[in-house]
Amino acid sequence: MKMYSEWASMSPKTETLGADSILSKFSNQVSSEVVAQVAKQLYNAILTGGKSSPGEERQVKTHQDVVWCMEVLNQGLDSSSDPGHVKDCVWIYCDWLTSLLPIPKAGIPSVVVQDPVRYGPLILKGLFKIFSPRKDLAPEKQAVFCHRVLRTIQTVAAESVSLASSVWHSVLMFLLAICDSLLSPPCQPDDLGGQMCERLLSALFEVWLLACAKSFPSPPQWKTLNELCQKLRHRPELIDVWNRCIVGLIRKLLPNLYGPDFPVPTPGTGNVDQQIIVSAQMSEDSLIQSWYRILHCIGNPCDLVQPSLIAQTQTFLQYAFLSQEVVEPSQHPCLSALPRIFLKAIRTVAFVSDSFLGLKTSQIDSKSFSNSGVVTTKDITTLPPVRRPTKSFSGMPSPSFTSTRVPPSSPLLNFITSNNQQSTSPRLEHEIGSQAPEFKPTVALTLHHPLRPKCATLLHLVGEWLFEAAIVGCAAHLSSNKYGSTGNLRRPGSSNDRRVFMQTSASESDTPVTPPGLVIERFDLGRAEALGALCRIVCSKKTGEEIPSVYLARFCLAVQQALKSSEGRNSPEVVSCFLLNAADLFRLDLDGINMLLSPVIDTLELILYPNSPNKSSSFNSPEIRRSCIQILISLLPLPLHFQGLPVRDMSHTLQSRSFGQYWKKLWALICASILNEVDWNNILLLLGAIFSSSADFQALEQRGAPAFSVGMFGADSDSYSNHSLSTTDYSIPEEPSENGDSPMSSIQTHSGSYDSAGLVAMVAATTICQRLISAWKTEVTVTVAVLETLDGLARLSIHKKGSSEAQKVVKSLCELIIWQCSRPPPAHSKDLHSAIVAAFQCLGSWLSPALLNEPECLSVVLEVIELGISGSTSHSSTGQPQVFKHEKLCKPVSLRVRDAAETLLYIVVELVDYFPSVLGASHIGSLLNEETLAARCGSSVSPKDFRYFATESGTILSLLEEPLGNHQDPQPTVTLVLRNPRGRFVWTMQHRQLSRHSSALRGPPPNPGLPLPLTNDLPPIETTPRCFPEVCDLAPEFLVDKSIPSCETVVQDIEDFDILNRLVEQQTLYEKHEIERRALESNERKQCQPPLPCTDFQAARLILSHLGMVTFSGKSEGLPEEIVPLDSEEVFVDLNQIDSFACRNVDTAFLLYVRTGQSTSQEILGNLNSFDSLDEQFLPFVNSLGWKNKSKLGDKRTRYWADATYELKFVLPDDSYQELVESSIDSSTSSKSGTSGTPVESQTLIVWLECFEDSLNFPTGSLIRRLYSSHPVSEVSTNATVIFIHPLRSGLLRIKLVGPSSKWATAPPLLDGHILSKRAVGTVLRQAVLHNARKRRLLFDNHQSPFARRKQKLLEILSRHRSPFVHTSLFHHPNSKKED
C-alpha cells in the first residue's frame, strides 16, 4: 500500500523466529531423558500449585535456572524429540504465559512471575516450533497443541491490563510468523495449514484488534500484515476472517460516525457466534484507523482474477520446482478457488458500501430481502455453475473439481443457481458443488437512510475496486491495459478475438498458465456483486447531490459492458444483478444516464419477450421480471416527454434515434408482458403502467403536437421537435358542459380523434379483458386491479364512440359478473362480493349512449342488472321454464351486490347521456326545493300547500298545484318534487289541450264581433244536446273514453244511488219550472258572455293517474297500496334533513407543500398561508386536479372534481384549517357532507416535496389527526395514504406511495416509483384517490352507500309520517277544510 511505502517490512524477522536448544548438540536418547525428567518435574509443580514435597525444595529460583529450563523445553518442542514430551512442554509454556495476566497461575517460577515482560517473548519463540509440521505427529493431534497455544495467547491479550509494547510486538510477530509459515504455501490436502487456517487467521485478527485498542501497531507491523494477507489470498479462509473483522468494525464504527439512530448492519445468523468482537476500549481514532487499514490489507480484490499475480510468491515457486505435476506456479489446483474467493471479497466490499448507505439488512449472510429496495443475500451452499462450456485457461480438458462449501452469498446468486439446472445451455463439467436452495427475492422501492454519506464519498472509498470488478473480462477492462499485454481478461470462445484467459503456447512461453477449468466466466458472480453494489450506490443519490462526472462515466461504461451481448449471449448473473438493483436508475436526475436507454431496452426485450433467443432460464423468475417492469415503467414517460430530442448512444453510431422512436418498443413490451405474465405483483405494475401511459398519450394528443407523429412513429426522422418542450405543461381540467364533454375535448389532433391515443387505449383495454376472462378471474386481487384499470381507461372517454372494442369490453365485464355470481356457495366470500361490486362500478363507467343504442349490448347489461338485483335472470340457459320478473323471488348474492346493481340501473336509466345537466357536474338533480318553489309562487304559498306522497320502495313526491308566477297563461299546473335514493329532482307540468308548439302556431281565435239580429223570427230549431259531435259515435270505444267513470261504477251502495236519483229529479224539476218562469217574465234575448277562465285547479290526481299511482277503475278506494300520503304539517322538516345526505360518494384529499428540511405539521401547514413563495410548478399542479367551484366558500383553497357517481375535493389547508373546520362543522348542510367523518372515508394526503428524502421524516400521524379531527382516534393515521410528488429536473414527476398494508393496497393506477408527466399527473392522481376510496369501502361489509343511506332515511320518513287517505282530498286544496 502507498501508506506504507516509506516503511520497511518486518517479514525477514518473522522468518528467523524460533529458539534453538543446547540439547540439540547431544544424542536423541540423552536429550530425550533430560527433557522427560525436567518437563515432568515442572509440570508436576504446576499441577500441585508450586507446593514441594517434604524435604524437597524448588529447583527453579534464578534467571539462569529459567534459561536452562527453557533450553530443555525448547528441545522438547523440537521435531526431533519424542512426541510424548510435546504435550508437557506445551502445557508448561502456556501456563508460564499466564504470568502476563494480573493473576497468574500457581506453580510458575517466581522469577518468571516477577519479570514476565522478559520471559514472555522467549516463551513465544519456543512455542513457534509447535507450529512446524511434524512427521511423527498426526496433523489432528498437532492441531490440538496449536489450539491450546492460540487460546492462551488470545486470553493473555484480552485479559491483560497493561502489556508492554515489546510484548505486544512479540505477540503480533509470533502470530504473523506462524501464519506465514503454515499458510503461505499452496493448499495441500490434509496438511496442518489446511486444518489450522481459519483458527490461525481468526486468532491473528482478534489479537490484532486488541492490540489496536491497547497498543496500536506500528507502521512496519501494518506493512507486514498487509504483505502477509496478500501472500495468503489463495486461502478462502482469509477472506472469511477478513469479512468478519470488517463486520465487527463497521458495527462499531457507524454509531460513532453518524449517531446511535443510524442503522447498524446485522450479520447473518450463521456467523453470529463467529463474528469478531471489537474491544470497547478502542478509541474513535483507533477505530477509524484500524477499520480503514484492515479494509485495505488484502490489496485490490480485483487482483484475484489474475492467477499469475496470486502465485508470484516464494512458496508457490518452491512448490513448482519440487512438483512433477505443476509446471508453473499459477497452475496449482488450489487456484481454482479464486472465483469463489473473488466473490467473497467483492461481497465484503459491497457490504461496506451497503452499511454506509444505511440499509437495514446487510448483504452478507442475510436470509431474505429487506424493505430497503436493494438486493440482499441468503445462504447458499455452493457456487452457481458458469454459463456455458468454454475452454480452460490452459486449453486442456476440464477435469472435475469439487470445492468446499461456500459461506452465505447473494440471494440473486442463490436464485440463479436454483434455476440454472433448467437451462437448455450445456454446462461445464467442473461445476463447483451442487444445486443451491431455491430463493425468491423481493425488491422494494424504499429510500436509504437520510444520514448516509454522499455517493461520491463512497465511490472515493470503494469505487475503484467496484468499477474494476464490474468490467472484469470485458473489452473495456482489456483496453485499460492494467496488467500489461497479457490477454488474460478476454472471454473464452471459438473466435480468434475471444482468446482464453491465460494460455500456453510456443510463441507465448512467458505467458503463465492457470489451473484446469479456471475460466473468466466463473468470475461473473463477483462481477455481478460489484455491479449491484455500484447500482445501489448510484441509486442512493440524494436530491440536489452531484456525482462527479468521471464516476458517472465509469458507471455507464460498466453497465453498458454488462448489458452488451457477446456473440448473442449475456451473462445472466451480471444482467440479473443489475436489474434487481437498478430500479431507481432512471428515476433520478443523473446526468447522461439516458445514454443507457438503448442497451437497457434491448435487455428488457430479451427478458420480457417470451421467445427471445439465447434467453437464460434464470430470467424467467418473477423477481427478475418485476425489476424489468419497474425499469420499464420509469422509461415509459421519456418518449412522450422528450419526443424528438436525440438520444446519445455510447456505441458512437452514426445513426442517432430520438426519444419518441422508442415509444413503439416500450409499448410493445408492455403488451407482450401483460399477455404472458403470471405473477400477480408484476401484473399490478403492468396495469398501472398501461393506465398512466394511456392518460399521458391522450393528454398529449389533445394538445395537438404537430411533430409528435414524426417523432414517435416516423422511422427515419431524427429531427428535434421544439414542440416537445411546450407540451409538458399541466393539463388543467374544466368542468364538463351539458353534453358531457370537456371544452378541451373538442380539439382534434392531426391524426384524428381516435386513430392513435384512443386506439392504443382500446387495444389495451380489450387485451386486459381477454386476459381477465381467460386467466385472472379466479384471483380476486388481480380482478379488482384490472377493474380499476378499466375504470380509469373508461374515464379517458375512449369509449364514447361505441366501437366494437368498447362493446367487447362491456360484454367481457358482464361475462365476468355472471361467472362470479354463478360460482358455488363455498366460493362466495366477502372478497368475491367486493369484486362483483367493483365490476358493476366499472361497467357503469363504460356505458355510453352509443353502446346503449346497440340492442345486443343493452340486453346484456339489463340481464346483468337483473341478475344482481334478483339473483337470477329470466332467460335461463339450463332449459328451465322462463320466469317473469314480477314472479321471481329476489335472492341477490348479497345486499352490497344488489345496491351496486340498482346503482347501475339508475346510471342506465337516468345518467347516461343526461349527465352532466345544465347545472354542470357539480350537482346531481335540482337545486330547488319546496321553500324556493313556494317563494316563486308568492307569499300566499308555503311548503304546507304541497301534497306529499310516498311509495313503499322509498320515493317521496311533493306536488304543488299552483302556477309558478305564470298568470298570463293560466293552465292546470303541477310542480313535482321527487326525492329518491339518487337525489332530488323537480319537474313542472301543465295540462294543455295542445302542445306549446301547436298552440304557438295556431294562436288565439280572432274576435268575430256581435252577430246582426234577424228581422224575421225564425221557427225554433229543435236539437238534442250532445257532448260530442255525431261523428264521434262512429269511432270505436277505448278504455281512455272511460277515464271519467260513470256513477254506476263509482257508487255501489243502492241507498246512496237512490238518494242521488232523487236529487237529480228534484234539480230537473226545479230547472224546468225556472225556465218556464223566466219565459213568462220576458221574451227578450240577452247576449251570451264567455265565462272567466278558471285559475284554481286540483290537477294532482291527473299526474298521479298518469304515473300509475292512482286508479278509479273497479275500486272504491282511490289509491293502491304502494302509494301512501304523508302528513304535510311535519314532513317538510325531515325532508330538509334528507337533502343534506350526499347523493354521491364524497372524498376529500388534502394537498400539502413541504420545503426542504421541514418535518413538523405546523411548518408544513404554514407553507400554504401564502402561495407567493412556493414552487412555480405547484399551483399549476393543483389546478390540474380539478376546477374551481365558485358556488362554494374558500374557492382559492379548494379544487373540485365530480362525475356521475363520485365527488372529489382537493383542499389546500393552512395553519388555521383545524379551527375553521371546528367552527363550521355544525352549521354545514351541504349535500356533499354526507360521508364526512365516517370511519369508512379514506384519508389521503398529496404532498409536494422539494427534497425527496423529506418523505422519511414526514409527520403523517400529526397531520392526519389535525386534518381529520372528526375521525375516531383508532382510525387516525392507520388507514392514511400519502402520495409524495417530487419534481425532477427533467420536468417529470417522481411518485412515492405510502399506505396501509392490505391485500389491495398496491393496486393500480398509481404505484410506488411511478414517473409521471405533468400532463397526466392530474388524471392519474384523481383515479388513484378514487381507487383508494373505493378500496376502503370495499373492505367494509357494513359500509352504506349513499343510495342505501338515503333509501333508509326515506323509509323512516314514510313510517313516521304515514297518514290515512281520503279520496276526496284530491279534489280540494290541501289546506282547505275537508267535507264529507
Side-chain angles (χ1 to χ4, degrees), residues 253 285 288 378 506 617 739 752 851 912 940 1009 1123 1168 1234 1239 1293 1329:
L253 177 66
D285 293 338
I288 295 174
K378 184 181 179 182
S617 61
N739 58 5
L851 291 175
V912 174
S940 60
I1123 188 169
L1168 297 178
L1293 301 174
V1329 175

Side-chain angles (χ1 to χ4, degrees), residues 478 481-490 499 508 510-511:
L478 294 175
N481 199 23
K482 180 176 178 63
Y483 301 104
S485 59
T486 57
N488 52 4
L489 293 182
R490 291 187 179 272
R499 299 164 57 191
E508 295 183 355
D510 57 338
T511 302

Side-chain angles (χ1 to χ4, degrees), residues 410-428:
S410 164
L412 164 66
L413 306 181
N414 299 336
F415 183 79
I416 293 174
T417 306
S418 63
N419 286 277
N420 273 341
Q421 290 191 350
Q422 302 175 0
S423 176
T424 56
S425 302
R427 297 290 178 185
L428 287 175

Side-chain angles (χ1 to χ4, degrees), residues 257-299:
L257 292 179
Y258 303 107
D261 295 334
F262 196 86
V264 177
T266 304
T269 56
N271 284 347
V272 170
D273 298 333
Q274 302 177 7
Q275 62 179 326
I276 296 178
I277 305 300
V278 181
S279 174
Q281 303 176 5
M282 187 180 296
S283 63
E284 184 175 351
D285 293 338
S286 299
L287 179 63
I288 295 174
Q289 288 291 330
S290 302
W291 166 77
Y292 185 79
R293 297 183 186 207
I294 291 179
L295 178 64
H296 291 80
C297 68
I298 67 169

Side-chain angles (χ1 to χ4, degrees), residues 597-633:
L597 193 62
S598 181
V600 168
I601 293 179
D602 292 341
T603 304
L604 297 182
E605 290 178 338
L606 171 67
I607 298 175
L608 295 180
Y609 280 129
N611 298 321
S612 300
N614 304 321
K615 180 179 178 181
S616 173
S617 61
S618 62
F619 292 152
N620 294 326
S621 69
E623 291 78 16
I624 301 294
R625 294 179 62 84
R626 186 174 307 129
S627 300
C628 292
I629 294 171
Q630 290 172 344
I631 297 175
L632 179 59
I633 291 175

Side-chain angles (χ1 to χ4, degrees), residues 547-563:
I547 300 179
S549 58
V550 61
Y551 287 145
L552 285 177
R554 296 188 68 177
F555 173 73
C556 292
L557 177 63
V559 174
Q560 188 224 19
Q561 294 295 320
L563 303 182

Side-chain angles (χ1 to χ4, degrees), residues 83 86-87 91 130 134 136-148 192 195-196:
V86 176
K87 177 181 178 181
W91 257 245
I130 195 61
R134 303 172 62 106
D136 53 350
L137 277 179
E140 294 81 5
K141 294 183 178 180
Q142 187 177 358
V144 175
F145 304 144
C146 296
H147 281 294
R148 172 64 190 273
L192 181 62
Q195 295 189 15
M196 294 292 300

Side-chain angles (χ1 to χ4, degrees), residues 980-1212:
N980 61 10
R982 294 305 173 194
R984 181 183 62 206
F985 307 94
V986 179
W987 291 275
T988 299
M989 294 155 283
Q990 287 185 337
H991 180 67
R992 308 175 66 92
Q993 298 295 334
L994 297 174
S995 65
R996 293 182 182 273
H997 176 71
S998 301
S999 299
L1001 293 178
R1002 186 169 181 178
N1007 187 7
L1010 295 177
L1012 296 176
L1014 296 176
T1015 55
N1016 299 326
D1017 293 336
L1018 297 177
I1021 302 176
E1022 303 231 348
T1023 61
T1024 302
R1026 299 181 61 88
C1027 297
F1028 298 97
E1030 295 180 0
V1031 69
C1032 293
D1033 297 337
L1034 302 178
E1037 190 178 42
F1038 297 95
L1039 290 178
V1040 71
D1041 297 330
K1042 299 179 181 180
S1043 60
I1044 300 177
S1046 62
C1047 294
E1048 291 81 2
T1049 60
V1050 175
V1051 182
Q1052 298 182 359
D1053 193 348
I1054 192 63
E1055 295 181 359
D1056 294 341
F1057 187 71
D1058 293 339
I1059 295 174
L1060 180 61
N1061 286 334
R1062 287 195 299 271
L1063 292 175
V1064 172
E1065 291 177 357
Q1066 293 176 3
Q1067 183 66 21
T1068 303
L1069 292 175
Y1070 172 78
E1071 291 179 357
K1072 182 177 180 181
H1073 291 304
E1074 185 66 19
I1075 292 173
E1076 292 178 353
R1077 185 184 61 82
R1078 291 183 179 182
L1080 294 176
E1081 291 179 355
S1082 174
N1083 291 328
E1084 294 184 5
R1085 296 182 180 180
K1086 296 182 178 180
Q1087 181 67 33
C1088 294
Q1089 299 293 332
L1092 295 176
C1094 181
T1095 58
D1096 187 13
F1097 304 98
Q1098 288 78 43
R1101 61 185 184 276
L1102 185 60
I1103 296 299
L1104 295 176
S1105 177
H1106 288 173
L1107 295 176
M1109 297 180 178
V1110 176
T1111 177
F1112 295 95
S1113 59
K1115 292 185 180 181
S1116 59
E1117 64 273 14
L1119 295 178
E1121 294 181 356
E1122 60 267 23
I1123 188 169
V1124 177
L1126 304 178
D1127 186 4
S1128 61
E1129 297 291 336
E1130 301 177 359
V1131 70
F1132 181 70
V1133 178
D1134 289 340
L1135 292 180
N1136 286 336
Q1137 182 180 1
I1138 198 175
D1139 287 340
S1140 65
F1141 281 60
C1143 304
R1144 297 176 284 192
N1145 290 303
V1146 184
D1147 294 282
T1148 302
F1150 290 94
L1151 301 174
L1152 301 173
Y1153 188 95
V1154 180
R1155 299 184 189 276
T1156 303
Q1158 291 183 341
S1159 59
T1160 63
S1161 58
Q1162 190 66 26
E1163 291 176 337
I1164 294 173
L1165 292 176
N1167 294 332
L1168 297 178
N1169 290 336
S1170 175
F1171 299 152
D1172 298 335
S1173 59
L1174 303 181
D1175 189 344
E1176 60 182 7
Q1177 302 182 60
F1178 180 67
L1179 286 181
F1181 158 72
V1182 172
N1183 294 330
S1184 68
L1185 296 175
W1187 56 82
K1188 297 180 180 180
N1189 192 353
K1190 298 181 180 180
S1191 63
K1192 300 294 179 184
L1193 297 178
D1195 176 55
K1196 294 183 179 179
R1197 296 190 173 274
T1198 304
R1199 297 298 181 270
Y1200 186 82
W1201 181 89
D1203 65 357
T1205 54
Y1206 293 94
E1207 299 180 26
L1208 293 180
K1209 289 191 295 184
F1210 299 93
V1211 181
L1212 293 133

